[in-house]
Amino acid sequence: EVHLVESGGGLAQPGRSLRLSCAASGFTFNTYAMHWVRQIPGKGLEWVSGISWNSGSVAYADSVKGRFTISRDNAKNSLYLQMDILRPEDTALYYCAKDKDASGWNNFDYWGQGTLVTVSS
Amino acid sequence: NFLLTQPHSVSESPGKTVTISCTRNSGSIVSNFVQWYQQRPGSSPTTVIYEDKQRPSGVPDRFSGSIDSSSNSASLTISGLKTEDEADYYCQSYDSGNNGVVFGGGTKLTVL
C-alpha cells in the first residue's frame, strides 16, 4: 500500500525558511515523478513544484520560482521542499503527491495527508 | 499559460445525473490529458478520472470523463448520484508551455 507522509510544517516568520519532507513507502520511489501541491484552507488546489524520477527535470509555479527548491533522495525514498524567503501568502496545507509517470507531469495518483505551513509575524 | 474554469458549485438530487465542466481558455483542450480529483471535507484529493476518460480501479462506473473540442472543455459526469458523492471536484492538466500543472478552481457538488 502506498503511503506518503509529510512533515516539517509549522509557524515561520516572513522572510524565514522551512524545509518540508515527504517519506514514501509502498512503491518503487525511484521510478516515479513527485510533486508538491498546496491548498489554502477552504480554497482550491495549487501545484507548487514537480521533480522527475531522476531529478533531471524540475519545475515550479511562478508564485514560488526562485524561492522554493524541490529535491529528492531516492536512496531514502524521500521528497523535499526547501522554502526560503517565505511570505504570508505561502500559508497553506502542503501535500506531497506521487505522479503516475516517471517524468512529464500526468496524474497525481496518490496524495499524502499534508503538512500545514503558517507564515506570520 | 492557460486557465481551467469550473463552475463554483452545482447541486442535484440523489439518483440524478450531474455534469461538471472544465473550460480551457487558451490552447486546445486535447493538447494534454485532463484529470479529475474528488476531495471530501477534511480529506486529501483522490483521482476519479485520469487521462481524459480513464477510471482508476475502485472508482465506480457512475463516474465518466469526456472531452469536447468544440467548446474546448472537459466534463466530469456522475450518474446515479449518492450522498457520498458530495465533495469538491477539481480538473487538472499539464501546461507544456512552462512545464507546469494547472488546476481548475474547483466545483462544490451538493447532493440534496
Side-chain angles (χ1 to χ4, degrees):
Chain A
E1 186 181 0
V2 173
H3 281 291
L4 298 170
V5 180
E6 303 93 338
S7 61
L11 176 64
Q13 293 182 326
R16 303 301 290 264
S17 299
L18 277 178
R19 189 192 194 210
L20 305 184
S21 298
C22 171
S25 61
F27 65 102
T28 308
F29 182 74
N30 62 10
T31 59
Y32 294 97
M34 297 292 295
H35 301 268
W36 289 100
V37 178
R38 68 185 181 185
Q39 184 173 36
I40 297 171
K43 301 297 183 182
L45 300 171
E46 180 188 16
W47 175 79
V48 173
S49 182
I51 186 167
S52 63
W53 67 280
N54 64 350
S55 305
S57 178
V58 298
Y60 301 93
D62 289 343
S63 57
V64 307
K65 201 171 293 183
R67 300 187 300 121
F68 289 10
T69 303
I70 191 171
S71 61
R72 65 190 294 162
D73 185 336
N74 286 343
K76 295 182 178 180
N77 287 351
S78 293
L79 175 72
Y80 306 101
L81 185 68
Q82 178 66 39
M83 309 166 66
D84 297 322
I85 319 175
L86 282 163
R87 302 169 178 168
E89 55 264 37
D90 294 322
T91 295
L93 184 65
Y94 284 73
Y95 293 105
C96 165
K98 170 188 170 294
D99 201 292
K100 175 180 166 293
D101 290 344
S103 59
W105 322 141
N106 192 336
N107 167 229
F108 304 165
D109 56 0
Y110 291 94
W111 299 62
Q113 289 303 304
T115 185
L116 184 62
V117 171
T118 303
V119 183
S120 174
S121 54
Chain B
N1 289 24
F2 60 88
L3 298 175
L4 296 174
T5 300
Q6 302 179 231
H8 181 69
S9 63
V10 295
S11 62
E12 189 51 90
S13 303
K16 299 292 189 179
T17 297
V18 70
T19 297
I20 299 171
S21 62
C22 172
T23 302
R24 178 167 169 164
N25 73 330
S26 65
S28 175
I29 192 71
V30 301
S31 296
N32 305 99
F33 286 129
V34 175
Q35 279 65 235
W36 290 91
Y37 302 93
Q38 176 193 68
Q39 187 179 32
R40 295 190 173 109
S43 297
S44 302
T46 61
T47 305
V48 291
I49 294 291
Y50 69 96
E51 294 179 357
D52 296 341
K53 58 182 180 180
Q54 304 302 317
R55 210 171 35 250
S57 60
V59 174
D61 60 6
R62 300 186 296 106
F63 290 80
S64 62
S66 63
I67 299 292
D68 182 355
S69 55
S70 65
S71 60
N72 214 36
S73 64
S75 293
L76 172 68
T77 298
I78 311 171
S79 60
L81 277 169
K82 301 183 176 183
T83 54
E84 66 201 46
D85 298 331
E86 194 163 281
D88 293 325
Y89 291 86
Y90 296 89
C91 60
Q92 170 253 313
S93 190
Y94 170 61
D95 184 349
S96 53
N98 62 3
N99 197 29
V101 172
V102 179
F103 282 97
T107 298
K108 181 177 180 59
L109 169 63
T110 302
V111 181
L112 39 61

